[in-house]
Amino acid sequence: MQPATANLVFRALSDPTRRAIFEELTRQGEQTVHALTRFAGVSQPAVSKHLTVLKRAKLVRHRRDGRETHYRAQSEALEPMVDWLRLYSAFWHERFDRLEAVLERMEP
Amino acid sequence: MQPATANLVFRALSDPTRRAIFEELTRQGEQTVHALTRFAGVSQPAVSKHLTVLKRAKLVRHRRDGRETHYRAQSEALEPMVDWLRLYSAFWHERFDRLEAVLERMEP
DNA sequence: ACAAACCATAACCATTTGGTTATGGTTTGT
DNA sequence: ACAAACCATAACCAAATGGTTATGGTTTGT
């Protein structure tokens, strides 16, 4: 699957409610909209809209099962953000570079 | 210095113009507001406002020198974002963990 | 001395955003 | 069969956001 643009990912994760939903999906695994609504503390339509934004950034996938829709986090979509940090964080750059070098030596 | 909250950092970097300014400061080093204005393609007051947002997130520092103000990136402020990725990106978690382990073996 | 350069703030504006309630379409349980 | 549950979308609203022009305070060059 094509990765979403970095911009969509940064935008999607800039909202605390959306981050909380993504965090919850990461921690607890797949969840229905109903469960996420109880968790998020906002209305069900608000949750649905947040999930739509996360979906456009490829940060979540959904699976319909009867009348419920199950969402789960898709952490690979964070890659543009990780790549960005690698490029623009001088502080972390060295660490990442060493990671690359070491991993390549470990599994050629 | 106290790190800014993760929320401020995520918010500040969610805007493409602001990210571009931060990227430019990282690549080219210290810059005046004037130089950043030419670079950013928006008005000087717009740049000043973006710099204020970045400043609140501790992503930039400024230094007055006569009538000009020089800004520079402060990449350590990205740490909350890196920490967040470590916590919530299952995909990258393993890589980070291996980095930690390997680095510790390399320099005890 | 004074005009110009640099920057921040104020005042303003259109658009976006994050929330709400209302509604309707499927699906399920009884 | 039908009421209730689940979810998405529509319609709406207040507040936040990202931009603009206007203005004023320092500092610099002549």
Side-chain angles (χ1 to χ4, degrees):
Chain A
M1 191 194 327
Q2 289 280 30
T5 69
N7 198 35
L8 283 176
V9 177
F10 276 92
R11 275 299 235 248
L13 295 176
S14 70
D15 179 76
T17 303
R18 231 143 37 212
R19 265 203 318 286
I21 289 174
F22 180 82
E23 292 166 7
E24 174 73 358
L25 288 174
T26 299
R27 280 191 301 256
Q28 309 291 341
E30 212 175 57
Q31 303 272 341
T32 67
V33 175
H34 187 62
L36 289 173
T37 298
R38 270 180 300 145
F39 166 77
V42 292
S43 68
Q44 175 264 312
V47 171
S48 278
K49 289 211 292 184
H50 283 311
L51 288 169
T52 299
V53 174
L54 291 169
K55 213 186 312 173
R56 262 187 281 137
K58 317 264 194 222
L59 286 163
V60 299
R61 303 183 64 172
H62 66 287
R63 165 178 77 80
R64 290 233 12 213
D65 178 25
R67 64 183 161 183
E68 21 189 46
T69 310
H70 298 258
Y71 281 84
R72 61 189 189 81
Q74 193 156 29
S75 59
E76 309 94 71
L78 292 171
E79 193 167 344
M81 189 173 261
V82 173
D83 289 345
W84 187 91
L85 284 172
R86 290 185 50 186
L87 278 176
Y88 295 109
S89 163
F91 187 73
W92 295 94
H93 199 190
E94 191 200 348
R95 288 176 74 96
F96 277 112
D97 281 355
R98 290 168 73 183
L99 167 67
E100 294 288 292
V102 167
L103 289 186
E104 266 174 32
R105 259 186 290 130
M106 287 174 70
E107 36 185 53
Chain B
M1 192 194 329
Q2 287 282 29
T5 68
N7 198 35
L8 283 176
V9 176
F10 275 92
R11 274 300 234 246
L13 294 176
S14 70
D15 179 75
T17 304
R18 230 143 38 211
R19 265 203 318 284
I21 290 174
F22 181 82
E23 292 166 8
E24 174 74 357
L25 288 174
T26 299
R27 281 190 301 256
Q28 309 290 341
E30 212 176 58
Q31 304 271 342
T32 67
V33 175
H34 186 62
L36 289 173
T37 298
R38 270 180 301 145
F39 166 78
V42 292
S43 68
Q44 174 265 312
V47 171
S48 277
K49 288 211 292 185
H50 283 310
L51 287 169
T52 299
V53 174
L54 291 169
K55 212 184 315 174
R56 261 187 281 137
K58 317 265 193 224
L59 286 163
V60 298
R61 304 184 63 170
H62 66 286
R63 164 177 77 79
R64 289 233 13 212
D65 176 27
R67 63 181 161 185
E68 21 189 45
T69 310
H70 299 258
Y71 281 84
R72 63 188 188 79
Q74 193 156 30
S75 60
E76 309 94 72
L78 292 171
E79 193 168 345
M81 189 175 262
V82 173
D83 289 344
W84 187 89
L85 283 173
R86 290 186 53 187
L87 277 176
Y88 295 108
S89 163
F91 186 73
W92 294 95
H93 198 191
E94 192 200 347
R95 289 176 74 96
F96 275 112
D97 281 355
R98 289 168 72 183
L99 168 67
E100 298 285 295
V102 168
L103 289 185
E104 267 176 31
R105 257 187 291 131
M106 286 174 70
E107 35 185 55

